[in-house]
Amino acid sequence: SQQGEEDPQALSIQEGENATMNCSYKTSINNLQWYRQNSGRGLVHLILIRSNEREKHSGRLRVTLDTSKKSSSLLITASRAADTASYFCATEKDSSYKLIFGSGTRLLVRP
Amino acid sequence: DGGITQSPKYLFRKEGQNVTLSCEQNLNHDAMYWYRQDPGQGLRLIYYSQIVNDFQKGDIAEGYSVSREKKESFPLTVTSAQKNPTAFYLCASSSGLGYNEQFFGPGTRLTVL
């Protein structure tokens, strides 16, 4: 079952612009994570935000979490062509070790 | 150089054959996972293992089997009972301690001919 749903499904922006992706989920969570996947490759972990956190930064990435709305957003500032990839949110519901992934947002950054 | 490896990168199988996908990690992680990804889709959990000699079914375990005889290895067998096995298969591992960041291998693309 897909717990998280990303929005939009696809996003095309110009280099230098900011990119915002959203994730909604259905049940209470322990933490929410964002991953990046280049075409045909494995996923790379970007950032983890715990259920008691509201915002987290890592370099050009900013993640917010609103547990009352069961939603999260990933902001990539000053995008680069190399940021072109698919981005997935994943939720860990409890301490079961299991992550449930959304269907992803495909980001295209045009040079 | 620590990491997680999968082999082969590409695999072709005839209908009715079982195939085994390899996954090895040298990160000393307790937990390992297998996911299936279809084109344009997210990841779906097939099996996971929290510790050696123990594993649990994920959301789509039918037609698949696993073993966890060693900490560093978690092979996945795609059996002939899996009706639509053509997909991209990803293996991951995590320390199993605290919050569960997962590290992924490069994936195996399986095509049934």
Side-chain angles (χ1 to χ4, degrees):
Chain A
S1 60
Q2 298 287 340
Q3 154 91 308
E5 292 295 330
E6 284 92 340
D7 169 59
Q9 290 186 337
L11 181 61
S12 179
I13 59 174
Q14 202 71 35
E15 201 166 28
E17 294 180 338
N18 295 343
T20 299
M21 289 159 266
N22 302 297
C23 170
S24 60
Y25 56 92
K26 298 175 183 174
T27 65
S28 61
I29 60 171
N30 189 27
N31 65 79
L32 185 145
Q33 303 177 33
W34 285 90
Y35 288 81
R36 166 196 168 124
Q37 183 181 34
N38 287 78
S39 181
R41 302 286 191 90
L43 277 70
V44 175
H45 181 264
L46 294 176
I47 198 163
L48 180 153
I49 186 165
R50 303 178 184 185
S51 60
N52 62 353
E53 296 177 314
R54 292 296 167 258
E55 187 171 314
K56 206 160 182 181
H57 296 255
S58 177
R60 294 185 294 113
L61 305 181
R62 172 178 168 252
V63 169
T64 62
L65 179 64
D66 187 335
T67 53
S68 66
K69 295 181 179 178
K70 292 186 170 59
S71 68
S72 174
S73 67
L74 170 67
L75 169 67
I76 304 174
T77 60
S79 64
R80 305 166 182 169
D83 293 329
T84 294
S86 291
Y87 292 82
F88 295 90
C89 69
T91 52
E92 183 177 11
K93 192 168 68 170
D94 46 36
S95 299
S96 67
Y97 293 27
K98 290 170 59 176
L99 289 180
I100 302 177
F101 285 82
S103 52
T105 292
R106 294 182 299 282
L107 173 65
L108 171 64
V109 181
R110 304 186 305 273
Chain B
D1 192 21
I4 182 165
T5 59
Q6 291 184 242
S7 62
K9 187 172 183 179
Y10 298 97
L11 188 56
F12 298 89
R13 184 194 102 173
K14 293 182 180 179
E15 282 193 29
Q17 289 181 334
N18 293 354
V19 288
T20 297
L21 282 59
S22 169
C23 177
E24 303 277 333
Q25 54 98 0
N26 61 3
L27 301 168
N28 200 33
H29 283 169
D30 283 318
M32 296 187 75
Y33 313 81
W34 274 106
Y35 294 93
R36 170 183 172 136
Q37 186 178 32
D38 292 287
Q41 302 296 314
L43 278 64
R44 291 185 288 168
L45 183 64
I46 304 172
Y47 270 97
Y48 66 106
S49 168
Q50 295 173 321
I51 200 165
V52 175
N53 292 323
D54 187 42
F55 49 84
Q56 289 80 38
K57 293 182 178 180
D59 298 319
I60 56 165
E62 185 175 351
Y64 300 98
S65 66
V66 294
S67 63
R68 186 84 189 277
E69 296 176 0
K70 297 186 295 182
K71 186 175 185 177
E72 58 271 19
S73 178
F74 191 40
L76 173 74
T77 296
V78 184
T79 75
S80 56
Q82 170 51 234
K83 297 305 178 189
N84 186 22
T86 294
F88 189 49
Y89 290 89
L90 288 159
C91 179
S93 70
S94 69
S95 65
L97 300 173
Y99 294 90
N100 190 24
E101 170 189 347
Q102 294 188 10
F103 293 80
F104 282 80
T108 292
R109 189 166 300 280
L110 173 64
T111 303
V112 174
L113 304 173

